[in-house]
Amino acid sequence: MNNLDQQVRTAVADAWKRIEDWLAEHAPASLAALAGPATTEEIAAVERALGSALPAEFVASLAIHRAVDLNGALVDVEHPELSELPGLRDQEVADFMWSVDEVHEQIRLGDCWRSGWIPLGREGDGSLFVLDLDPAPAGTHGQVLYSDQGLVPDTVRYSGWLDAIRAAATELASGHYHGVDGLIEYRD
């Protein structure tokens, strides 16, 4: 492992520690519901099924939590079980077609769901967070996109997974969330 990989793993672990510490104090049932780590073999199998390497930040996060379900409270960092990602991507590929005439410097747009877009967290209105494994030239491998209510992902929400989990940790500390019956909830 090189120094950059270790820095990424440390930064991801630090962000998750901040989230886990907040959950332990305010929402212990939500903390207990976080899935355990994925193995390197499981991650490699999913990468083969996707036909693409997952970003180092996301892999480091999977080594801590293979799935994150916080009942939609922090949908930006929620994602299904690792092994479900290829199937969910394939379902989106089969279901979504649209016409896009615009050009985006960071996002490859086209007339259907791209195989390099991996659906992650979904809001109640159908809006979706997407891990982008095939960005446009000005984009970043692993950027997190936002798809508003089932439309084409056209917004880069985070430059990478580390930014997403850091933002979640900061949001928790901001006082916008609280624990109710051991679970995390958003507070207006």
Side-chain angles (χ1 to χ4, degrees), residues 1-187:
M1 177 183 328
N2 67 35
N3 192 30
L4 182 58
D5 290 342
Q6 186 56 47
Q7 288 175 355
V8 167
R9 288 177 189 264
T10 299
V12 167
D14 289 347
W16 270 117
K17 174 126 177 49
R18 289 175 54 210
I19 293 169
E20 291 165 352
D21 287 350
W22 189 95
L23 292 173
E25 182 177 343
H26 302 282
S30 290
L31 175 62
L34 293 175
T39 67
T40 53
E41 294 81 14
E42 291 169 319
I43 294 168
V46 167
E47 288 177 324
R48 283 191 301 276
L50 292 172
S52 181
L54 292 168
E57 297 169 352
F58 194 65
V59 169
S61 183
L62 291 169
I64 298 169
H65 296 295
R66 64 182 307 112
V68 177
D69 182 359
L70 296 169
N71 294 317
L74 284 174
V75 72
D76 292 29
V77 296
E78 294 183 20
H79 62 84
E81 168 65 33
L82 169 65
S83 63
E84 296 175 14
L85 295 180
L88 291 171
R89 184 268 322 259
D90 294 346
Q91 184 62 47
E92 297 291 342
V93 168
D95 287 350
F96 282 86
M97 295 192 73
W98 50 70
S99 179
V100 177
D101 294 329
E102 63 189 83
V103 174
H104 196 290
E105 291 181 0
Q106 295 173 294
I107 304 170
R108 285 189 201 283
L109 300 174
D111 58 1
C112 63
W113 188 272
R114 299 191 59 78
S115 64
W117 291 342
I118 312 304
L120 298 176
R122 189 177 297 272
E123 295 178 331
D125 66 1
S127 297
L128 186 63
F129 290 86
V130 178
L131 189 64
D132 189 359
L133 305 181
D134 184 27
T140 304
H141 181 259
Q143 61 193 4
V144 179
L145 309 179
Y146 184 70
S147 168
D148 188 22
Q149 298 180 1
L151 299 174
V152 62
D154 64 355
T155 304
V156 176
R157 182 62 69 98
Y158 302 104
S159 64
W161 191 249
L162 179 56
D163 287 347
I165 58 176
R166 281 179 170 160
T170 299
E171 186 68 15
L172 286 174
S174 73
H176 292 290
Y177 291 86
H178 63 282
V180 176
D181 297 327
L183 298 173
I184 183 176
E185 274 194 12
Y186 181 76
R187 177 186 305 167

